[in-house]
Amino acid sequence: NRLNPSESQFYRTLRGETKNTDVSLSGAKKLNDWLSLSFNGRMGWSHSQNTNGLASGRFLVTANNAFTPFSTSVLIAQSDRERPLQSRSKFESGSLSMTLNGNIGRWRTTLTARYEDRHSNYASERLAPGSAGLITVPQTFNPFDGNLVSLIELTETGSTSRTRVKEISE
């Protein structure tokens, strides 16, 4: 009958740790009297990690469990502080563009080329379907030895996307 607080507020982030890196390079060059070149290149990386609470479970210890001191079935709620639920994302991008400008007499012409590549990954841990409800403790498992949370199963879901753009225009 004692409250055992999980202090779950320490295992949640509204905005987790994020590391962003961007590198860019641009320039222009007159190649001769009638032709000039300009270019721009950029690369970027972003990584983030968040905590989404504690893996928690409700455990049913039946009266016929070999280790229970109780004469009736009991419920135990417990959170796993060693395995907080996490989500991670990673984003990488790169782009390169180039423009050639030419002047021939009264004529002016432009050729532009562009290449972009973006790649992102996202992964998030959550309770496995069997751990999301009531978990029945096996009769030969000691629910009082501190390993009860090992019965909580986690699963990971994720997504990946990639975008490539190749373009040439006059």
Side-chain angles (χ1 to χ4, degrees):
N1 264 350
R2 279 193 356 227
L3 179 64
N4 187 10
S6 66
E7 298 177 338
S8 63
Q9 70 271 19
F10 298 118
Y11 299 93
R12 284 198 180 279
T13 51
L14 294 176
R15 184 171 181 191
E17 179 182 344
T18 301
K19 183 177 181 182
N20 296 314
T21 304
D22 282 311
V23 176
S24 63
L25 175 67
S26 61
K29 173 88 172 153
K30 186 171 184 178
L31 301 175
N32 57 37
D33 289 342
W34 61 273
L35 186 63
S36 64
L37 168 74
S38 63
F39 65 90
N40 186 2
R42 182 176 185 203
M43 295 180 75
W45 302 269
S46 176
H47 301 272
S48 68
Q49 185 165 338
N50 296 294
T51 52
N52 300 324
L54 294 174
S56 300
R58 291 182 322 134
F59 303 92
L60 174 64
V61 180
T62 59
N64 58 356
N65 183 288
F67 300 95
T68 187
F70 305 108
S71 60
T72 62
S73 297
V74 294
L75 283 175
I76 299 174
Q78 194 168 8
S79 298
D80 188 353
R81 293 181 188 204
E82 300 300 317
R83 293 185 300 166
L85 301 173
Q86 296 185 17
S87 62
R88 296 170 299 286
S89 65
K90 181 169 92 170
F91 180 74
E92 299 171 348
S93 66
S95 66
L96 179 62
S97 63
M98 175 189 79
T99 302
L100 284 170
N101 290 310
N103 293 316
I104 302 171
R106 295 184 332 178
W107 292 90
R108 178 173 175 92
T109 185
T110 300
L111 177 67
T112 302
R114 178 173 71 111
Y115 176 78
E116 286 186 39
D117 189 2
R118 297 180 208 174
H119 187 239
S120 66
N121 288 319
Y122 176 77
S124 180
E125 294 176 328
R126 61 183 176 86
L127 295 177
S131 292
L134 188 62
I135 302 169
T136 302
V137 177
Q139 292 179 8
T140 58
F141 187 92
N142 184 353
F144 306 106
D145 68 356
N147 291 321
L148 191 58
V149 292
S150 67
L151 297 175
I152 299 173
E153 293 181 44
L154 301 180
T155 187
E156 187 171 280
T157 58
S159 64
T160 298
S161 71
R162 180 162 223 150
T163 304
R164 285 190 178 141
V165 175
K166 301 172 190 174
E167 181 179 79
I168 296 179
S169 61
E170 314 182 48

